[in-house]
Structures are given as structure tokens and as C-alpha cells.
Amino acid sequence: MGSYDRAITVFSPDGHLFQVEYALEAVRKGITAVGVRSPNALVLAVEKKSTAKLQDARTVRKIANIDSHISLAFAGLTADARVLINKARIEAQSYRLALEDPVSVEYITRYIAQVQQKYTQSGGVRPFGISTLIVGFDPDGVARLFQTDPAGTYSAWKANATGRNAKTVREYLEKHYPSDEASLTAADAQHLAVAALLEVVESGAKNIEVAVLERGAQLRLLDETQLERLVTEVEAAKAALKPTVDDKKE
């Protein structure tokens, strides 16, 4: 690889930017994050790593607010995410101050992607080692879900996952997301997000964090009791769908 491995602004002969690819690898090693869109609610679910006995778990978050109507979850380097989230918050408030309107979800997504892309073509910097799932409601009330990656690309989704085991989770979402999105209720979206995350996360409610953003309301983090109930319902539904041993023999 030689200098192509170190210089962020230099393409390798076969067209690769290795530092960007290494940033993508940092995302793939990060915690799993899931986003699900329904007409009236958006759900973010993330894997929660265990904290030290004396550590305040509230200070270790993978879900954050950008504005009152926009939130995000991320996979990758937490310190990088903190910097990018602060930039996005300032941009959202600057937009509101200048135009007296809230930003659209795509506007703030495009801004985040532009910042990420800028750090892939400048000397003396490195790419942001995070991928984000951005959810929110546009001023016209339409629910939106976007993903950005370290290369600075972004795209809209109905449901998606990023981080470790994202492929497994995405396959589950593709299989179980309803063909008629309008039929997906807020409760259904929560069940789908948790069920998808539990495909790759063990120990149930203790190792997950779920946030719900509903139209006209603030982001709401589910408490431990709500999570326990939700996980129990999801596991019961999965168990009911599994064929019994006798059924297999028949």
C-alpha cells in the first residue's frame, strides 16, 4: 500500500482511499444501531454496552437530539460523534435564527454529510469514524429517516441499521417491514426495531436502549420497565412463530 495507506488525499492505483475505508471499518466495529420509520413515529434502538460499576450510565449515550424535531443514533467513535453532533446543533439553531423556521431533516442530513465528506479530501485531518441514522419530522409533518457514512454519502430509508452485524439486522428488517408502510403503527415500529436488534444482541432489555420520536413531541427514551415489557412481548411473538419439534417431524 505504501503512502496510499497513510495519505488521506491520495488515491491508490486501484481507486481506493484507504483512510476512508478504515473509517468504515471503525463503524463496522461499533455498536449496532437501528432506525425504523412509521407515518407517525420514528424509533431508534441501539446496543448498550455495560458500564463500570461507578460510572454514570446517563453520560454514555449513542442517541442524541439535534433539534426538538430531529434526533440521531450513531455507530463508531463516540468522540467523533460528539464533535459532529455539536456542529449539527449549531447549524440547526443558526438556520432557525436566520430563517425563523426549523430545519428539514434532509437539510441537516446533507449538512452532516458535507462535513464528513470535507474531512476526506483535506490534508492534516482524518475522516469521522462514525455512521449516523438521522430521524425527524419535516415542517410539513412527514417522517424521515436518513443514513450518513464516513465517506460523506447519505440516503433515505424506511428502516436501516449500522454498526456491528448491520447486515444481519438489515436482512431482518427487509423481511419483516410491512409492504404497506401506512399500516405500521408507532407500537409496531418499536416492536420491529427491538426485534431486529435482538437478532444480534443478547441479554434482552439490559443491553439495549430505545428512543421514540413522535410527531409534535420531544424525543422519549423508554425506561427500564417499558423496555422489559417490550422485550418480553417481542420474545413471546418470536417464540409463537417458531415451529415446534413435533411440527418439524410431521
Side-chain angles (χ1 to χ4, degrees):
M1 296 183 195
S3 60
Y4 308 116
D5 187 44
R6 297 186 294 275
I8 189 173
T9 57
V10 180
F11 283 96
S12 69
D14 56 352
H16 290 277
L17 285 172
F18 287 112
Q19 289 299 316
V20 174
E21 294 188 8
Y22 296 158
L24 289 166
E25 186 61 29
V27 170
R28 284 190 284 269
K29 291 182 177 179
I31 61 97
T32 310
V34 182
V36 176
R37 184 185 78 187
S38 73
N40 298 309
L42 295 142
V43 181
L44 293 171
V46 298
E47 178 185 359
K48 184 170 67 175
K49 286 190 174 180
S50 58
T51 55
K53 187 176 181 180
L54 300 179
Q55 187 177 20
D56 187 346
R58 294 174 298 176
T59 62
V60 185
R61 296 287 191 194
K62 295 289 185 177
I63 298 174
N65 274 323
I66 299 299
D67 204 339
S68 58
H69 63 298
I70 300 176
S71 302
L72 67 74
F74 65 89
L77 304 179
T78 301
D80 285 13
R82 184 182 66 247
V83 172
L84 198 56
I85 288 167
N86 284 340
K87 286 178 179 288
R89 285 171 173 167
I90 292 171
E91 179 64 21
Q93 294 309 307
S94 297
Y95 185 101
R96 190 184 288 268
L97 184 64
L99 301 178
E100 298 183 356
D101 281 317
V103 296
S104 68
V105 185
E106 184 167 5
Y107 177 92
I108 206 67
T109 300
R110 186 167 60 247
Y111 172 80
I112 289 173
Q114 284 174 344
V115 173
Q116 288 181 291
Q117 193 279 333
K118 181 181 177 181
Y119 278 70
T120 68
Q121 62 176 32
S122 303
V125 298
R126 64 164 175 78
F128 284 92
I130 67 165
S131 174
T132 66
L133 293 174
I134 303 168
V135 299
F137 288 94
D138 280 341
D140 60 3
V142 176
R144 309 296 298 275
L145 166 62
F146 288 91
Q147 180 187 17
T148 73
D149 66 24
T153 59
Y154 74 91
S155 53
W157 296 78
K158 294 179 180 178
N160 197 14
T162 187
R164 184 169 53 247
N165 299 316
K167 183 180 178 181
T168 301
V169 178
R170 194 177 300 116
E171 288 173 352
Y172 183 91
L173 292 169
E174 289 172 354
K175 184 177 179 181
H176 293 88
Y177 195 91
S179 55
D180 179 16
E181 184 182 348
S183 67
L184 191 67
T185 65
D188 292 337
Q190 292 178 46
H191 278 78
L192 179 58
V194 170
L197 192 57
L198 290 178
E199 288 290 297
V200 296
V201 175
E202 297 178 357
S203 301
K206 291 182 179 179
N207 285 346
I208 65 173
E209 186 174 6
V210 179
V212 181
L213 182 64
E214 296 179 291
R215 186 183 290 109
Q218 296 283 336
L219 182 73
R220 174 170 55 90
L221 286 168
L222 300 191
D223 60 33
E224 223 172 281
T225 304
Q226 292 171 314
L227 278 176
E228 288 283 1
R229 183 171 66 248
L230 190 55
V231 168
T232 300
E233 291 172 359
V234 167
E235 290 177 342
K238 284 186 176 182
L241 291 174
K242 285 183 179 179
T244 63
V245 176
D246 291 337
D247 290 338
K248 288 181 180 179
K249 288 180 180 178
E250 290 175 3

